[in-house]
Amino acid sequence: MISLLGYGRTNKAFSTYLYQHAMPCIVYDDAIHAPTTTPHNQPLLPSSAFDPVHSHLEVISPGIPPHHPLVLASQHLLSEYDYVAKLKTPPPTFFVSGTNGKTTTTEILGLLCAPFGAQVGGNIGVPLITLKDAPLWILETSSFSLHYTKHYAPSLYILLPLAQDHLSWHGGYEHYISAKLKPLSLMAKSSPVLLETRFQNHPLVQAILKQNNAPELIFYENSAHLAKQMGFDLVKVRFEEPFLLDALLALSATKLAFNQVDYDRLNSYTLQPHRLEVFKDAQARTWVNDSKATNVDATLKALDRFADRFVHLIVGGDTKQVDLSPLFERLTHMHTRIYTIGTSAPLMSEMAKHYGVNALYCGDVARAVCAIKACLKPHQIAILSPSAASLDQFSSYQERGDLFKACVLKP
């Protein structure tokens, strides 16, 4: 019997696939408290009902952490990536991972590689099991998926800059880094890898470099360094940071794979909502929806963009146990006031007091927006860049960003 551990987006797609191929399965999920069934009449049971004795294969939903009882009890655990690779030989595949910018880079890369028949999926919203056969797959790949994947290797790997994130899930920053570097040990000889220069001396990278069948590691320091290495003309690229690096990494992958540099196609990409999305209120004051900034590093990049302005900053949510001190150290050198929301609001308010940062405890987005509206001046900036995940108060960062915009635009 196949066991699907977790019933999120990934395993909902797997349950449909198994139903269509007449393969029986049982689904287990923490949110289920009494036995029921999926829309395909497959048993859907509480996690506590899982019995490894009657399971010959367990497909793990990537969001379930390695210390979960379902994982600890499993004896035949497979990631979604490895299961798909077991079903069939995947086409050449590009992985895109990192802390921030994965979605933007993946979408740009998909646009650039569309003439070569690329299909885009993975964490970007299309489960791997549903991807159509194609000459190339481009997958936004989370650290969760990488942790559980032991066999599926990319033919090209883009690793965006790393910062502290998902520490409670991985059990520490080094474990998080190890998951992100894991594909290097699986890739074929000379397969290109784009990664930060700071990892050149990392023990895992050094071990890879000593192997005769090592992938080709291409190190970058920043956008300017990468552009110089790859021979790009920055004047022809319309994006600003932090999106400039995303664009250049996607352009680099396309050049490495297909020897093509298409600036016009690159510049046709439209940035998606909720990431440094600038808009005006009824009084023509500037607001920025950066709800996708779910960690400190993303907020620091947003602050870099507006370092010369007075910033009203909404922060807070589920901080995932990361170190918040880099954020407050930056805020001490800026003209700013913060408005704290979510479960971390008390902690952030206390840290603001400790660092001497002007702060107002608000609790939720609506109160924070109301407080900012009362004092925002035309030459100032108001930003929702929470440095935290949204699931303490919302179903997603999109819902949080939509509410923020609605509150701002409300008469």
Side-chain angles (χ1 to χ4, degrees), residues 151-411:
H151 304 290
Y152 194 163
S155 50
L156 184 149
Y157 184 32
I158 295 177
L159 183 58
L160 287 113
L162 299 185
Q164 290 192 32
D165 202 12
H166 305 301
L167 300 193
S168 57
W169 195 100
H170 286 281
Y173 187 37
E174 276 303 317
H175 292 295
Y176 173 70
I177 291 175
S178 295
K180 294 292 192 179
L181 294 176
K182 190 175 181 181
L184 276 63
S185 64
L186 305 175
M187 295 174 70
K189 182 178 181 179
S190 301
S191 297
V193 180
L194 293 152
L195 72 166
E196 290 178 279
T197 303
R198 70 185 179 102
F199 290 116
Q200 196 161 3
N201 295 319
H202 191 281
L204 292 176
V205 173
Q206 284 296 306
I208 295 296
L209 289 172
K210 292 176 181 177
Q211 298 175 3
N212 293 327
N213 60 342
E216 179 189 3
L217 305 187
I218 303 168
F219 296 98
Y220 64 88
E221 295 178 10
N222 49 40
S223 294
H225 179 252
L226 179 60
K228 184 176 181 180
Q229 278 198 97
M230 300 300 298
F232 297 147
D233 185 353
L234 287 178
V235 174
K236 295 182 179 179
V237 181
R238 70 173 181 84
F239 297 98
E240 298 180 70
E241 297 290 9
F243 307 113
L244 176 59
L245 181 59
D246 303 341
L248 293 178
L249 285 168
L251 199 63
S252 297
T254 311
K255 181 176 182 179
L256 290 167
F258 303 107
N259 195 30
Q260 178 170 313
V261 178
D262 190 337
Y263 293 110
D264 290 337
R265 181 172 282 272
L266 171 70
N267 291 330
S268 70
Y269 175 76
T270 301
L271 293 168
Q272 299 302 307
H274 308 296
R275 188 71 179 99
L276 286 172
E277 178 188 0
V278 179
F279 63 103
K280 301 282 187 177
D281 65 13
Q283 299 177 44
R285 297 176 299 185
T286 303
W287 297 73
V288 181
N289 171 21
D290 196 34
S291 183
K292 199 175 181 181
T294 58
N295 53 62
V296 169
D297 184 65
T299 298
L300 293 178
K301 286 180 169 62
L303 294 176
D304 285 343
R305 175 78 74 88
F306 305 105
D308 60 339
R309 310 278 286 274
F310 187 100
V311 173
H312 297 265
L313 176 65
I314 302 175
V315 290
D318 177 8
T319 61
K320 298 171 283 188
Q321 300 182 15
V322 302
D323 180 12
L324 298 172
S325 57
L327 171 63
F328 286 90
E329 288 167 2
R330 175 74 62 84
L331 292 173
T332 60
H333 300 291
M334 293 186 62
H335 299 293
T336 185
R337 187 188 196 198
I338 69 169
Y339 304 76
T340 61
I341 64 171
T343 56
S344 63
L347 171 62
M348 288 192 163
S349 295
E350 186 62 32
M351 290 187 71
K353 182 178 179 181
H354 174 76
Y355 279 89
V357 174
N358 187 3
L360 178 67
Y361 179 96
C362 294
D364 61 48
V365 167
R367 290 189 182 94
V369 170
C370 185
I372 295 173
K373 279 185 172 182
C375 60
L376 180 62
K377 294 179 172 54
H379 58 280
Q380 298 175 344
I381 299 285
I383 308 178
L384 168 68
S385 188
S387 291
S390 59
L391 298 183
D392 58 332
Q393 293 182 320
F394 302 94
S395 63
S396 65
Y397 71 82
Q398 293 97 330
E399 183 185 13
R400 178 171 63 187
D402 288 341
L403 176 63
F404 169 70
K405 291 173 64 177
C407 291
V408 171
L409 298 176
K410 183 179 179 181

Side-chain angles (χ1 to χ4, degrees), residues 88-136:
K88 59 184 178 181
T89 301
T93 305
F94 297 171
F95 284 8
V96 179
S97 199
T99 301
N100 297 304
K102 295 187 296 296
T103 300
T104 302
T105 305
T106 303
E107 290 180 342
I108 294 175
L109 186 55
L111 176 66
L112 291 173
C113 293
F116 308 103
Q119 293 286 320
V120 178
N123 203 49
I124 201 168
V126 182
L128 189 55
I129 193 68
T130 66
L131 273 183
K132 299 176 182 178
D133 291 336
L136 172 67

